[in-house]
Amino acid sequence: MCTTTSFRVIKADILRRISGGEWPPGSLLPNELALAREFGAARATVGRAMRELVDDGIVERKRKTGTRVRPVPLRQVRLDIPLVRVE
């Protein structure tokens, strides 16, 4: 039976390592391929975890320079405003 690591597990582990100081602010994270090998997951799965970390403002990605832990996490406000129909 083959088990796969979900992007949520990978994201949580990366967050744990960042908050635990293994990867302090400004540090370069391993590339997707290295993380995929470490977690035994597909590169696309690691990519999804990384995209969520970018969306959450935890890391920043730049082409050719890699993924770094943001010095200060970005705070984003997301509002869900329901549409109300008035008749």
Side-chain angles (χ1 to χ4, degrees):
M1 182 175 175
C2 180
T3 61
T4 58
T5 306
S6 77
F7 76 93
R8 288 180 183 94
V9 170
I10 295 168
K11 178 182 175 185
D13 190 65
I14 292 170
L15 280 170
R16 179 187 59 76
R17 291 159 86 171
I18 290 170
S19 63
E22 184 176 337
W23 293 323
S27 65
L28 186 64
L29 272 60
N31 65 33
E32 284 184 6
L33 189 56
L35 288 171
R37 285 188 193 124
E38 178 182 336
F39 288 106
R43 186 173 172 187
T45 304
V46 172
R48 181 165 179 192
M50 292 296 214
R51 280 191 305 278
E52 289 212 355
L53 290 167
V54 169
D55 290 345
D56 293 345
I58 306 298
V59 300
E60 58 187 352
R61 301 178 97 180
K62 292 186 181 172
R63 183 175 283 225
K64 296 189 181 186
T65 62
T67 303
R68 291 191 180 275
V69 179
R70 290 189 58 83
V72 177
L74 288 179
R75 294 197 176 259
Q76 296 179 348
V77 176
R78 294 182 185 173
L79 301 173
D80 290 325
I81 303 173
L83 296 176
V84 178
R85 231 176 160 172
V86 178
E87 294 183 21

